[in-house]
Amino acid sequence: MLVSVIDVLRAMENDAVVPCFQPIVELRTGRLAGFEILARWQHPEHGLILPENFISLAEENGLIGELSYQILSKAFLASPLLPEPLFLAVNVSPIQLHYLSLPRQMRDTAEDYGFPLKQLTVEITESALVNNLERARKIALELKEMGCQLALDDFRTGYSSLRHLQALPFDKLKIDRTFVQSMASKNESRKIVAAVVGLGYSLDMTTVAEGVETEEQADSLLWLGCEFGQGWLFGRPLPADSIPDMIVTAPRTLPARFSALAGSIAVAGMDALPTQRLAQMQAIYDGAPVGLCFLDKNLRYISLNQRLADMNGAPVAAHVGRTVNEMIPELFPTVEPYLRRALNGEVIPKVEALRPAGKQGQPERTMLASYQPVLDEAGDVIGISLAVLDVTGL
């Protein structure tokens, strides 16, 4: 639809630009966490018009400040429908980050409608920071002092992104929808999302994925440790009068893969992010009464516990990065067929093998090994989990 600046001005005068509210949910529980405020033009003939048809006109013609005030005022007016701890997130225009008066205007608007700023997240797009970093930093610090949370919107992975992340006091990272929506078809996108989630966790920032439209995407994001999601899977942007219905909607159920995981492995990792899960698993790994290791697709040791290292007669550090053939050449011809079958996706439990006598008078041993293919979130085999038990004399 083609519109002119006169059309936009008339819409503002007629109070036709309204906020719609899109749910943001906690991925591991499905519970509603808050809403992003999205501008819509309520046209008498064409219905709700999307912002890409009028926001740029408002920016180019000096109307964005008034337009944003109208949207924020109407959103705050609906705030009695929003119980704590639900939050509102609002995206500020790059143009607005040129004006040092922005924090005061947001504070005054919130005070006029009794909205607590601790429940407001201000989203700043990366494009707003280009050639404007110092001024944006002043505004961001003032917003933080007022109690607002800050989110870096449409986060990507280039040098400029990392510089912006370091320069401003962000609380949240919003993962660009283009990566989320191509996760199922592009391994590179999935790896980028995993890297952003890990970066967010290491910097103590919450990660929010945009554009989540399918169960597969939500499942992958949860597996990677992303905390929150937003997109059509959880709900489309709706007017303020729909907020009560969205609040009482039953939480989305845990994906089937995670339900199965939760039923078979009793760990607190369902609440944990990747590094926490790693620490938990390492503790189990080291304390297990059997030899354990993870081999990559080239049959190199990526990790192993002390018990397996002792069985092989070499320190843990000596194994890492070296192949099974290098570490146990006398046994490799026996175990290689099982390793290859596991790399093809086959689970092979309890295979007995006789280990020849080793150096320094080590006796012949009987070993029981289980081979388990390890799958990534897309179902591709990325290595082998091997468990070895010494059953000599049993």
Side-chain angles (χ1 to χ4, degrees):
M1 175 184 175
L2 293 177
V3 298
S4 68
V5 65
I6 299 300
D7 296 324
V8 176
L9 190 57
R10 186 175 296 116
M12 292 170 58
E13 291 172 348
N14 293 335
D15 218 23
V17 182
V18 298
C20 283
F21 299 78
Q22 184 169 41
I24 300 171
V25 305
E26 187 180 40
L27 289 172
R28 56 193 165 92
T29 64
R31 289 196 296 264
L32 181 67
F35 297 94
E36 181 173 359
I37 305 166
L38 300 170
R40 295 293 186 265
W41 176 359
Q42 209 162 34
H43 196 281
E45 297 176 7
H46 302 288
L48 290 177
I49 297 176
L50 297 177
E52 51 262 35
N53 293 293
F54 60 90
I55 290 294
S56 59
L57 281 172
E59 290 176 329
E60 293 164 5
N61 291 276
L63 302 175
I64 192 63
E66 176 61 26
L67 181 64
S68 296
Y69 171 76
Q70 288 191 13
I71 293 296
L72 206 56
S73 296
K74 293 170 186 174
F76 289 163
L77 184 62
S79 63
L81 302 172
L82 197 75
E84 282 195 77
L86 299 184
F87 65 86
L88 291 179
V90 60
N91 197 302
V92 297
S93 163
I95 300 295
Q96 291 176 280
L97 283 182
H98 286 276
Y99 302 110
L100 295 175
S101 60
L102 176 65
R104 177 177 51 80
Q105 292 170 346
M106 298 188 81
R107 182 196 62 215
D108 291 346
T109 306
E111 288 178 353
D112 287 344
Y113 292 92
F115 185 81
L117 286 173
K118 66 180 181 179
Q119 288 177 253
L120 183 66
T121 296
V122 179
E123 298 183 358
I124 300 172
T125 58
E126 279 211 88
S127 60
L129 304 177
V130 177
N131 301 321
N132 187 35
L133 193 55
E134 282 309 309
R135 187 172 292 248
R137 178 174 170 78
K138 290 179 182 179
I139 292 172
L141 289 172
E142 191 170 344
L143 289 168
K144 286 280 289 185
E145 289 172 2
M146 289 162 38
C148 300
Q149 296 261 298
L150 297 181
L152 181 57
D153 199 12
D154 295 336
F155 181 74
R156 292 177 178 267
T157 56
Y159 168 75
S160 62
S161 296
L162 297 175
R163 187 167 71 94
H164 297 151
L165 197 59
Q166 183 185 43
L168 276 72
F170 290 108
D171 304 284
K172 301 177 183 179
L173 277 179
K174 298 198 75 175
I175 303 170
D176 192 310
R177 68 178 60 243
T178 58
F179 297 133
V180 173
Q181 294 179 346
S182 60
M183 285 175 65
S185 59
K186 295 182 179 179
N187 284 340
E188 295 83 359
S189 293
R190 190 169 65 250
K191 291 176 182 178
I192 287 171
V193 172
V196 174
V197 170
L199 178 63
Y201 181 72
S202 67
L203 296 175
D204 198 25
M205 295 181 185
T206 300
T207 48
V208 184
E210 294 185 293
V212 184
E213 296 183 356
T214 68
E215 293 284 352
E216 183 179 12
Q217 291 165 358
D219 191 355
S220 294
L221 288 163
L222 180 57
W223 182 263
L224 292 174
C226 184
E227 294 160 271
F228 295 93
Q230 172 184 353
W232 287 2
L233 178 64
F234 311 116
R236 299 194 178 212
L238 296 174
D241 58 10
S242 299
I243 290 177
D245 291 336
M246 289 190 281
I247 288 175
V248 300
T249 298
R252 172 180 171 271
T253 56
L254 195 66
R257 286 177 64 192
F258 271 81
S259 296
L261 179 64
S264 61
I265 303 178
V267 296
M270 295 310 298
D271 292 328
L273 291 173
T275 53
Q276 292 172 310
R277 289 200 296 264
L278 178 61
Q280 294 164 1
M281 291 300 102
Q282 189 64 49
I284 297 172
Y285 211 54
D286 291 339
V290 298
L292 298 171
C293 71
F294 172 70
L295 306 173
D296 68 9
K297 294 178 72 173
N298 295 312
L299 303 182
R300 294 176 300 196
Y301 289 94
I302 302 302
S303 64
L304 72 158
N305 66 357
Q306 185 63 51
R307 189 171 293 270
L308 185 63
D310 292 342
M311 289 179 181
N312 290 347
V316 169
H319 286 74
V320 177
R322 301 183 69 184
T323 66
V324 176
N325 190 30
E326 290 175 305
M327 296 308 301
I328 49 171
E330 75 284 357
L331 195 58
F332 184 70
T334 301
V335 302
E336 183 183 16
Y338 301 107
L339 295 171
R340 300 296 177 192
R341 286 165 58 186
L343 286 177
N344 286 326
E346 184 178 351
V347 177
I348 311 169
K350 299 180 181 178
V351 177
E352 189 172 295
L354 189 65
R355 183 165 191 166
K359 299 176 182 178
Q360 299 175 347
Q362 289 179 332
E364 190 175 70
R365 312 296 297 179
T366 302
M367 317 303 288
L368 194 65
S370 295
Y371 305 80
Q372 174 80 37
V374 178
L375 310 180
D376 67 8
E377 66 278 357
D380 297 327
V381 177
I382 59 172
I384 304 166
S385 175
L386 182 63
V388 183
L389 181 64
D390 188 338
V391 293
T392 304
L394 298 180

